[in-house]
Amino acid sequence: MRSSRFFTIGFLTLVLSACGSGIFHSGLPFPTTLPSENVLDSDYQSLKHDLSPLTAYHFRILIPKGWKTLDTKIEHEPVKDGGPLDVAVFREQGEWMNSPTGAVQGEISISAVNVSGVTLSPSDWLKQTLKKNAKGYTLVSKRESPSSSGPVADMLIEYMNANQSLVSRMTAFKTGNTMIVITGSDTKEGYAKNAEAYFVALSTF
């Protein structure tokens, strides 16, 4: 189920519409350490997302206080070759929630993709998916960590969408025949402010 705004800026939009070129060092922050417990307690809320009728897609995640949970849920398992389905979308408060002309603000999205028969590691799958569908995105930063399904990539990319420069921090991991993709997306200026929040979300899902 898609969210209520005219478009999202997470993985679903990214794999359809990115453009740009090359690898560069932008100076954008790429946090790799969680903030202190005091900061987590004061600035974040532990949200239980259980809107889906499928209990396998119920989860908890740390989201900045004040961000809104959209009425988004996955109503059936993703099908092979059927593309990604939104599991959940969280957004920074602002007029852009309901207005196509409102200034874009922060978004954290979680998507599910059926990967039956795919033997690639989550890292290679994400790189291949972006290379195939998000033509010309710019890789800003990247790191990898091990998992039972192979290396998992944590990537920061920059791309253009609707004539606007956007930044996404994203990761993907495999569970059964499903790839779960977590994406934190924002304008370049917004990302610099919310970089910690996107790392916290990716780390606490």
Side-chain angles (χ1 to χ4, degrees), residues 115 118-126 144-153 172-180:
V115 290
V118 175
T119 58
L120 295 173
S121 70
S123 177
D124 286 343
W125 175 87
L126 183 58
E144 289 189 342
S145 58
S147 80
S148 59
S149 300
V152 171
F173 65 90
K174 188 177 181 183
T175 173
N177 291 321
T178 303
M179 197 73 73
I180 301 295

Side-chain angles (χ1 to χ4, degrees), residues 79-102:
V79 298
K80 188 174 182 178
D81 302 322
L85 296 178
D86 268 339
V87 175
V89 178
F90 308 93
R91 286 196 175 146
E92 189 175 13
Q93 295 277 16
E95 65 174 83
W96 82 290
M97 294 277 210
N98 302 305
S99 169
T101 60

Side-chain angles (χ1 to χ4, degrees), residues 41-77:
D41 288 342
S42 64
D43 296 350
Y44 294 87
Q45 54 187 323
S46 177
L47 291 181
K48 182 179 180 181
H49 193 281
D50 56 3
L51 300 180
S52 173
L54 307 175
T55 57
Y57 295 97
H58 294 180
F59 61 89
R60 280 193 176 275
I61 191 171
L62 288 182
I63 298 294
K65 289 181 178 178
W67 284 41
K68 181 177 176 60
T69 305
L70 299 195
D71 185 18
T72 304
K73 55 183 176 289
I74 184 169
E75 299 188 359
H76 58 82
E77 292 285 352

